Amino acid sequence: MLGAIEAGGTKFVCAIGDEQGNIHERAVFPTTAPEETMAHVIDFFRPHNVEAIGIGSFGPVDLRPDSPTYGYITSTPKQAWRNFDFVGAIKQHFPVPIGFDTDVNAAALGEQRWGAARGLDSCLYMTVGTGIGVGAIVEGRLLHGLLHPEMGHMLVRRHPDDTFAGVCPYHGDCLEGMASGPAIERRWGKKGAELADRHEVWELEAFYLAQAITNYILILSPKKVITGGGVMKQTHVLPLVRRHVQELLGGYIQHEAILEKIDEYIVLPGLGDNAGVAGALALAARAIE
């Protein structure tokens, strides 16, 4: 019996499941103040005798085991959560092995084990919602580094007709600043769900997302690109992104996945909305191992 936490900027998903990725019980709570949200999390797990807990968290987070702030959420734009000891708060109540990574790395792991990238040793998972986050598996390993990649904050070329300043509090017009859900709402005055029939909205969105995915392909050469999050539920976005990626690559990457089968290469999550929480189960299983 394993516990899983997908900690997102808008909501927390908690689950009980097993090492095969099966989810037996699932609950969702809004992400509010840490004290209130964590009380819900602890109450959810208290009746269950879990062997380990996996956490995939919004970030930035400290993933260095030798760091005094290992397991913390660090310089997040969500001020109430800055410098929050996430792993410590869970361990205080549940003294079991804990696997900890970013929410998008967890989602990439879930998709690689049981979803759209099953059987592959590399993939990239991109979520586009409240923020933009990207996780990656390279040669079978989750990608880390100084901390972990922050590919949602990469710089992008501005569209020549776009004068929007961007919403990222750190970088202004980075990818997240220009193409996240809040960026769509701020730029157009309505939430994305209310703009479904506005073609110009999604052409501009695809313009930015495709630039980022093109760069990810050129840098990491993933064998599958998986796109999730609330914005990607607009079904007309992904075909536009694929077309822009092909145009931007300009035939330089000579592989059938790009040239002929891009519909099978840049895809939606095979696990749907459970990619992150399933990946957290995989993190819990790895913590035991």
Side-chain angles (χ1 to χ4, degrees), residues 2 19 52-54 97-101 105 109 112-113 137 140-144 279-289:
L2 303 173
E19 69 276 8
I53 296 174
I98 294 178
F100 184 63
D101 215 309
N105 263 358
L109 183 60
Q112 190 243 0
R113 288 211 176 180
I137 293 176
R141 300 182 63 175
L142 287 166
L143 187 59
H144 296 150
L281 287 174
L283 290 173
R286 284 162 56 124
I288 294 174
E289 294 165 8

PDB file of all heavy atoms in Angstrom, residues 2 19 52-54 97-101 105 109 112-113 137 140-144 279-289:
ATOM      1  N   LEU A   2       0.743   2.080  -1.020  1.00  0.00           N
ATOM      2  CA  LEU A   2       1.574   3.267  -1.184  1.00  0.00           C
ATOM      3  C   LEU A   2       0.715   4.524  -1.162  1.00  0.00           C
ATOM      4  O   LEU A   2      -0.444   4.505  -1.595  1.00  0.00           O
ATOM      5  CB  LEU A   2       2.341   3.199  -2.514  1.00  0.00           C
ATOM      6  CG  LEU A   2       3.238   1.980  -2.741  1.00  0.00           C
ATOM      7  CD1 LEU A   2       3.788   1.991  -4.155  1.00  0.00           C
ATOM      8  CD2 LEU A   2       4.364   1.943  -1.711  1.00  0.00           C
ATOM      9  N   GLU A  19       2.250  -0.492  -6.438  1.00  0.00           N
ATOM     10  CA  GLU A  19       3.451  -0.310  -7.264  1.00  0.00           C
ATOM     11  C   GLU A  19       3.197  -0.556  -8.739  1.00  0.00           C
ATOM     12  O   GLU A  19       4.068  -0.321  -9.565  1.00  0.00           O
ATOM     13  CB  GLU A  19       4.587  -1.218  -6.763  1.00  0.00           C
ATOM     14  CG  GLU A  19       4.368  -2.696  -6.990  1.00  0.00           C
ATOM     15  CD  GLU A  19       3.538  -3.342  -5.898  1.00  0.00           C
ATOM     16  OE1 GLU A  19       3.002  -2.617  -5.029  1.00  0.00           O
ATOM     17  OE2 GLU A  19       3.410  -4.578  -5.912  1.00  0.00           O
ATOM     18  N   ALA A  52       5.129   3.674   2.079  1.00  0.00           N
ATOM     19  CA  ALA A  52       5.943   4.785   1.595  1.00  0.00           C
ATOM     20  C   ALA A  52       5.005   5.815   0.981  1.00  0.00           C
ATOM     21  O   ALA A  52       3.859   5.500   0.629  1.00  0.00           O
ATOM     22  CB  ALA A  52       6.966   4.321   0.563  1.00  0.00           C
ATOM     23  N   ILE A  53       5.502   7.048   0.852  1.00  0.00           N
ATOM     24  CA  ILE A  53       4.720   8.125   0.239  1.00  0.00           C
ATOM     25  C   ILE A  53       5.584   8.796  -0.829  1.00  0.00           C
ATOM     26  O   ILE A  53       6.757   9.098  -0.589  1.00  0.00           O
ATOM     27  CB  ILE A  53       4.274   9.164   1.285  1.00  0.00           C
ATOM     28  CG1 ILE A  53       3.319   8.525   2.293  1.00  0.00           C
ATOM     29  CG2 ILE A  53       3.594  10.362   0.611  1.00  0.00           C
ATOM     30  CD1 ILE A  53       2.935   9.438   3.449  1.00  0.00           C
ATOM     31  N   GLY A  54       5.013   8.996  -1.994  1.00  0.00           N
ATOM     32  CA  GLY A  54       5.678   9.742  -3.059  1.00  0.00           C
ATOM     33  C   GLY A  54       5.055  11.111  -3.201  1.00  0.00           C
ATOM     34  O   GLY A  54       3.828  11.254  -3.142  1.00  0.00           O
ATOM     35  N   PRO A  97       9.534   5.742   4.274  1.00  0.00           N
ATOM     36  CA  PRO A  97      10.320   6.295   3.160  1.00  0.00           C
ATOM     37  C   PRO A  97       9.488   7.257   2.320  1.00  0.00           C
ATOM     38  O   PRO A  97       8.302   6.991   2.054  1.00  0.00           O
ATOM     39  CB  PRO A  97      10.713   5.051   2.359  1.00  0.00           C
ATOM     40  CG  PRO A  97      10.651   3.934   3.333  1.00  0.00           C
ATOM     41  CD  PRO A  97       9.539   4.271   4.279  1.00  0.00           C
ATOM     42  N   ILE A  98      10.107   8.347   1.900  1.00  0.00           N
ATOM     43  CA  ILE A  98       9.405   9.356   1.104  1.00  0.00           C
ATOM     44  C   ILE A  98      10.198   9.639  -0.164  1.00  0.00           C
ATOM     45  O   ILE A  98      11.385   9.963  -0.104  1.00  0.00           O
ATOM     46  CB  ILE A  98       9.204  10.653   1.913  1.00  0.00           C
ATOM     47  CG1 ILE A  98       8.260  10.394   3.085  1.00  0.00           C
ATOM     48  CG2 ILE A  98       8.645  11.767   1.011  1.00  0.00           C
ATOM     49  CD1 ILE A  98       8.024  11.586   3.981  1.00  0.00           C
ATOM     50  N   GLY A  99       9.540   9.506  -1.303  1.00  0.00           N
ATOM     51  CA  GLY A  99      10.118   9.899  -2.582  1.00  0.00           C
ATOM     52  C   GLY A  99       9.665  11.304  -2.919  1.00  0.00           C
ATOM     53  O   GLY A  99       8.479  11.637  -2.769  1.00  0.00           O
ATOM     54  N   PHE A 100      10.598  12.136  -3.369  1.00  0.00           N
ATOM     55  CA  PHE A 100      10.282  13.558  -3.571  1.00  0.00           C
ATOM     56  C   PHE A 100      10.869  14.042  -4.879  1.00  0.00           C
ATOM     57  O   PHE A 100      12.045  13.807  -5.175  1.00  0.00           O
ATOM     58  CB  PHE A 100      10.853  14.369  -2.407  1.00  0.00           C
ATOM     59  CG  PHE A 100      10.529  15.840  -2.441  1.00  0.00           C
ATOM     60  CD1 PHE A 100       9.218  16.280  -2.358  1.00  0.00           C
ATOM     61  CD2 PHE A 100      11.544  16.789  -2.519  1.00  0.00           C
ATOM     62  CE1 PHE A 100       8.918  17.640  -2.369  1.00  0.00           C
ATOM     63  CE2 PHE A 100      11.258  18.142  -2.526  1.00  0.00           C
ATOM     64  CZ  PHE A 100       9.938  18.575  -2.448  1.00  0.00           C
ATOM     65  N   ASP A 101      10.040  14.697  -5.700  1.00  0.00           N
ATOM     66  CA  ASP A 101      10.515  15.282  -6.950  1.00  0.00           C
ATOM     67  C   ASP A 101       9.536  16.360  -7.376  1.00  0.00           C
ATOM     68  O   ASP A 101       8.552  16.639  -6.667  1.00  0.00           O
ATOM     69  CB  ASP A 101      10.657  14.201  -8.038  1.00  0.00           C
ATOM     70  CG  ASP A 101      11.835  14.470  -8.974  1.00  0.00           C
ATOM     71  OD1 ASP A 101      11.929  15.598  -9.494  1.00  0.00           O
ATOM     72  OD2 ASP A 101      12.654  13.566  -9.191  1.00  0.00           O
ATOM     73  N   ASN A 105       8.239  16.094 -13.129  1.00  0.00           N
ATOM     74  CA  ASN A 105       9.073  14.900 -13.195  1.00  0.00           C
ATOM     75  C   ASN A 105       8.262  13.674 -12.782  1.00  0.00           C
ATOM     76  O   ASN A 105       8.397  12.594 -13.371  1.00  0.00           O
ATOM     77  CB  ASN A 105      10.311  15.038 -12.303  1.00  0.00           C
ATOM     78  CG  ASN A 105      11.545  15.477 -13.075  1.00  0.00           C
ATOM     79  OD1 ASN A 105      11.513  15.644 -14.296  1.00  0.00           O
ATOM     80  ND2 ASN A 105      12.646  15.669 -12.373  1.00  0.00           N
ATOM     81  N   LEU A 109       7.486  10.416 -15.077  1.00  0.00           N
ATOM     82  CA  LEU A 109       7.733   9.053 -14.616  1.00  0.00           C
ATOM     83  C   LEU A 109       6.485   8.193 -14.730  1.00  0.00           C
ATOM     84  O   LEU A 109       6.554   7.034 -15.169  1.00  0.00           O
ATOM     85  CB  LEU A 109       8.224   9.092 -13.165  1.00  0.00           C
ATOM     86  CG  LEU A 109       8.603   7.760 -12.523  1.00  0.00           C
ATOM     87  CD1 LEU A 109       9.733   7.078 -13.290  1.00  0.00           C
ATOM     88  CD2 LEU A 109       8.998   7.974 -11.061  1.00  0.00           C
ATOM     89  N   GLN A 112       5.997   7.364 -18.346  1.00  0.00           N
ATOM     90  CA  GLN A 112       7.009   6.439 -18.847  1.00  0.00           C
ATOM     91  C   GLN A 112       6.750   5.011 -18.366  1.00  0.00           C
ATOM     92  O   GLN A 112       7.003   4.043 -19.065  1.00  0.00           O
ATOM     93  CB  GLN A 112       8.399   6.901 -18.404  1.00  0.00           C
ATOM     94  CG  GLN A 112       9.537   6.139 -19.068  1.00  0.00           C
ATOM     95  CD  GLN A 112      10.382   5.371 -18.069  1.00  0.00           C
ATOM     96  OE1 GLN A 112      10.114   5.401 -16.871  1.00  0.00           O
ATOM     97  NE2 GLN A 112      11.387   4.691 -18.560  1.00  0.00           N
ATOM     98  N   ARG A 113       6.206   4.889 -17.170  1.00  0.00           N
ATOM     99  CA  ARG A 113       5.934   3.550 -16.632  1.00  0.00           C
ATOM    100  C   ARG A 113       4.642   2.947 -17.163  1.00  0.00           C
ATOM    101  O   ARG A 113       4.596   1.760 -17.464  1.00  0.00           O
ATOM    102  CB  ARG A 113       5.892   3.593 -15.108  1.00  0.00           C
ATOM    103  CG  ARG A 113       7.260   3.789 -14.469  1.00  0.00           C
ATOM    104  CD  ARG A 113       7.339   3.104 -13.131  1.00  0.00           C
ATOM    105  NE  ARG A 113       8.677   3.203 -12.554  1.00  0.00           N
ATOM    106  CZ  ARG A 113       9.014   2.686 -11.383  1.00  0.00           C
ATOM    107  NH1 ARG A 113       8.118   2.015 -10.676  1.00  0.00           N
ATOM    108  NH2 ARG A 113      10.244   2.813 -10.924  1.00  0.00           N
ATOM    109  N   ILE A 137      12.690  12.550 -18.649  1.00  0.00           N
ATOM    110  CA  ILE A 137      13.458  11.336 -18.387  1.00  0.00           C
ATOM    111  C   ILE A 137      14.433  11.182 -19.545  1.00  0.00           C
ATOM    112  O   ILE A 137      14.030  11.234 -20.711  1.00  0.00           O
ATOM    113  CB  ILE A 137      12.547  10.106 -18.251  1.00  0.00           C
ATOM    114  CG1 ILE A 137      11.700  10.239 -16.983  1.00  0.00           C
ATOM    115  CG2 ILE A 137      13.353   8.813 -18.243  1.00  0.00           C
ATOM    116  CD1 ILE A 137      10.695   9.131 -16.794  1.00  0.00           C
ATOM    117  N   GLY A 140      16.524   6.765 -19.223  1.00  0.00           N
ATOM    118  CA  GLY A 140      15.930   6.037 -18.113  1.00  0.00           C
ATOM    119  C   GLY A 140      15.983   6.725 -16.769  1.00  0.00           C
ATOM    120  O   GLY A 140      15.495   6.170 -15.776  1.00  0.00           O
ATOM    121  N   ARG A 141      16.543   7.939 -16.695  1.00  0.00           N
ATOM    122  CA  ARG A 141      16.699   8.617 -15.417  1.00  0.00           C
ATOM    123  C   ARG A 141      15.994   9.972 -15.427  1.00  0.00           C
ATOM    124  O   ARG A 141      16.041  10.702 -16.425  1.00  0.00           O
ATOM    125  CB  ARG A 141      18.182   8.830 -15.092  1.00  0.00           C
ATOM    126  CG  ARG A 141      18.975   7.541 -15.012  1.00  0.00           C
ATOM    127  CD  ARG A 141      20.421   7.788 -14.654  1.00  0.00           C
ATOM    128  NE  ARG A 141      20.542   8.379 -13.319  1.00  0.00           N
ATOM    129  CZ  ARG A 141      21.717   8.606 -12.730  1.00  0.00           C
ATOM    130  NH1 ARG A 141      22.854   8.327 -13.363  1.00  0.00           N
ATOM    131  NH2 ARG A 141      21.760   9.132 -11.520  1.00  0.00           N
ATOM    132  N   LEU A 142      15.351  10.294 -14.297  1.00  0.00           N
ATOM    133  CA  LEU A 142      14.760  11.618 -14.150  1.00  0.00           C
ATOM    134  C   LEU A 142      15.856  12.672 -14.213  1.00  0.00           C
ATOM    135  O   LEU A 142      16.925  12.511 -13.635  1.00  0.00           O
ATOM    136  CB  LEU A 142      14.014  11.714 -12.823  1.00  0.00           C
ATOM    137  CG  LEU A 142      12.696  10.939 -12.756  1.00  0.00           C
ATOM    138  CD1 LEU A 142      12.221  10.829 -11.314  1.00  0.00           C
ATOM    139  CD2 LEU A 142      11.629  11.594 -13.622  1.00  0.00           C
ATOM    140  N   LEU A 143      15.574  13.751 -14.922  1.00  0.00           N
ATOM    141  CA  LEU A 143      16.582  14.777 -15.156  1.00  0.00           C
ATOM    142  C   LEU A 143      16.644  15.752 -13.983  1.00  0.00           C
ATOM    143  O   LEU A 143      15.666  16.417 -13.644  1.00  0.00           O
ATOM    144  CB  LEU A 143      16.253  15.527 -16.451  1.00  0.00           C
ATOM    145  CG  LEU A 143      17.288  16.528 -16.956  1.00  0.00           C
ATOM    146  CD1 LEU A 143      18.623  15.854 -17.218  1.00  0.00           C
ATOM    147  CD2 LEU A 143      16.781  17.206 -18.236  1.00  0.00           C
ATOM    148  N   HIS A 144      17.818  15.810 -13.343  1.00  0.00           N
ATOM    149  CA  HIS A 144      18.103  16.757 -12.274  1.00  0.00           C
ATOM    150  C   HIS A 144      19.349  17.539 -12.667  1.00  0.00           C
ATOM    151  O   HIS A 144      19.853  17.425 -13.767  1.00  0.00           O
ATOM    152  CB  HIS A 144      18.314  16.039 -10.941  1.00  0.00           C
ATOM    153  CG  HIS A 144      17.092  15.332 -10.451  1.00  0.00           C
ATOM    154  ND1 HIS A 144      17.138  14.191  -9.690  1.00  0.00           N
ATOM    155  CD2 HIS A 144      15.779  15.592 -10.633  1.00  0.00           C
ATOM    156  CE1 HIS A 144      15.918  13.789  -9.401  1.00  0.00           C
ATOM    157  NE2 HIS A 144      15.070  14.616  -9.970  1.00  0.00           N
ATOM    158  N   GLY A 279       2.606   8.954 -11.111  1.00  0.00           N
ATOM    159  CA  GLY A 279       4.049   9.132 -10.983  1.00  0.00           C
ATOM    160  C   GLY A 279       4.490   9.239  -9.538  1.00  0.00           C
ATOM    161  O   GLY A 279       5.567   8.744  -9.162  1.00  0.00           O
ATOM    162  N   ALA A 280       3.661   9.850  -8.684  1.00  0.00           N
ATOM    163  CA  ALA A 280       3.982   9.916  -7.257  1.00  0.00           C
ATOM    164  C   ALA A 280       3.968   8.526  -6.633  1.00  0.00           C
ATOM    165  O   ALA A 280       4.776   8.236  -5.742  1.00  0.00           O
ATOM    166  CB  ALA A 280       3.005  10.848  -6.542  1.00  0.00           C
ATOM    167  N   LEU A 281       3.081   7.656  -7.093  1.00  0.00           N
ATOM    168  CA  LEU A 281       3.119   6.256  -6.641  1.00  0.00           C
ATOM    169  C   LEU A 281       4.447   5.612  -7.032  1.00  0.00           C
ATOM    170  O   LEU A 281       5.042   4.870  -6.240  1.00  0.00           O
ATOM    171  CB  LEU A 281       1.962   5.463  -7.247  1.00  0.00           C
ATOM    172  CG  LEU A 281       0.556   5.722  -6.693  1.00  0.00           C
ATOM    173  CD1 LEU A 281      -0.478   4.953  -7.507  1.00  0.00           C
ATOM    174  CD2 LEU A 281       0.473   5.329  -5.222  1.00  0.00           C
ATOM    175  N   ALA A 282       4.907   5.898  -8.252  1.00  0.00           N
ATOM    176  CA  ALA A 282       6.189   5.355  -8.686  1.00  0.00           C
ATOM    177  C   ALA A 282       7.334   5.902  -7.834  1.00  0.00           C
ATOM    178  O   ALA A 282       8.283   5.166  -7.520  1.00  0.00           O
ATOM    179  CB  ALA A 282       6.423   5.680 -10.168  1.00  0.00           C
ATOM    180  N   LEU A 283       7.266   7.166  -7.442  1.00  0.00           N
ATOM    181  CA  LEU A 283       8.274   7.736  -6.549  1.00  0.00           C
ATOM    182  C   LEU A 283       8.270   7.029  -5.196  1.00  0.00           C
ATOM    183  O   LEU A 283       9.320   6.783  -4.601  1.00  0.00           O
ATOM    184  CB  LEU A 283       8.041   9.231  -6.360  1.00  0.00           C
ATOM    185  CG  LEU A 283       8.311  10.140  -7.555  1.00  0.00           C
ATOM    186  CD1 LEU A 283       7.852  11.572  -7.241  1.00  0.00           C
ATOM    187  CD2 LEU A 283       9.783  10.135  -7.930  1.00  0.00           C
ATOM    188  N   ALA A 284       7.062   6.700  -4.693  1.00  0.00           N
ATOM    189  CA  ALA A 284       6.969   5.973  -3.423  1.00  0.00           C
ATOM    190  C   ALA A 284       7.599   4.591  -3.545  1.00  0.00           C
ATOM    191  O   ALA A 284       8.336   4.154  -2.650  1.00  0.00           O
ATOM    192  CB  ALA A 284       5.502   5.864  -3.000  1.00  0.00           C
ATOM    193  N   ALA A 285       7.315   3.898  -4.648  1.00  0.00           N
ATOM    194  CA  ALA A 285       7.891   2.569  -4.859  1.00  0.00           C
ATOM    195  C   ALA A 285       9.407   2.649  -4.933  1.00  0.00           C
ATOM    196  O   ALA A 285      10.127   1.801  -4.377  1.00  0.00           O
ATOM    197  CB  ALA A 285       7.306   1.946  -6.122  1.00  0.00           C
ATOM    198  N   ARG A 286       9.926   3.682  -5.605  1.00  0.00           N
ATOM    199  CA  ARG A 286      11.388   3.863  -5.696  1.00  0.00           C
ATOM    200  C   ARG A 286      11.992   4.168  -4.335  1.00  0.00           C
ATOM    201  O   ARG A 286      13.122   3.772  -4.037  1.00  0.00           O
ATOM    202  CB  ARG A 286      11.705   4.996  -6.677  1.00  0.00           C
ATOM    203  CG  ARG A 286      11.533   4.585  -8.143  1.00  0.00           C
ATOM    204  CD  ARG A 286      11.430   5.793  -9.052  1.00  0.00           C
ATOM    205  NE  ARG A 286      12.571   6.683  -8.929  1.00  0.00           N
ATOM    206  CZ  ARG A 286      13.357   7.063  -9.940  1.00  0.00           C
ATOM    207  NH1 ARG A 286      13.130   6.593 -11.163  1.00  0.00           N
ATOM    208  NH2 ARG A 286      14.344   7.887  -9.765  1.00  0.00           N
ATOM    209  N   ALA A 287      11.258   4.879  -3.485  1.00  0.00           N
ATOM    210  CA  ALA A 287      11.769   5.190  -2.143  1.00  0.00           C
ATOM    211  C   ALA A 287      11.976   3.922  -1.323  1.00  0.00           C
ATOM    212  O   ALA A 287      12.931   3.816  -0.553  1.00  0.00           O
ATOM    213  CB  ALA A 287      10.816   6.139  -1.429  1.00  0.00           C
ATOM    214  N   ILE A 288      11.094   2.935  -1.511  1.00  0.00           N
ATOM    215  CA  ILE A 288      11.259   1.657  -0.829  1.00  0.00           C
ATOM    216  C   ILE A 288      12.458   0.911  -1.383  1.00  0.00           C
ATOM    217  O   ILE A 288      13.273   0.352  -0.644  1.00  0.00           O
ATOM    218  CB  ILE A 288       9.977   0.804  -0.954  1.00  0.00           C
ATOM    219  CG1 ILE A 288       8.824   1.460  -0.207  1.00  0.00           C
ATOM    220  CG2 ILE A 288      10.214  -0.617  -0.435  1.00  0.00           C
ATOM    221  CD1 ILE A 288       7.491   0.769  -0.385  1.00  0.00           C
ATOM    222  N   GLU A 289      12.588   0.915  -2.706  1.00  0.00           N
ATOM    223  CA  GLU A 289      13.703   0.222  -3.347  1.00  0.00           C
ATOM    224  C   GLU A 289      15.030   0.810  -2.913  1.00  0.00           C
ATOM    225  O   GLU A 289      16.014   0.095  -2.753  1.00  0.00           O
ATOM    226  CB  GLU A 289      13.564   0.309  -4.870  1.00  0.00           C
ATOM    227  CG  GLU A 289      12.358  -0.439  -5.417  1.00  0.00           C
ATOM    228  CD  GLU A 289      12.033  -0.050  -6.861  1.00  0.00           C
ATOM    229  OE1 GLU A 289      12.836   0.685  -7.471  1.00  0.00           O
ATOM    230  OE2 GLU A 289      10.969  -0.475  -7.357  1.00  0.00           O
TER     231      GLU A 289
END
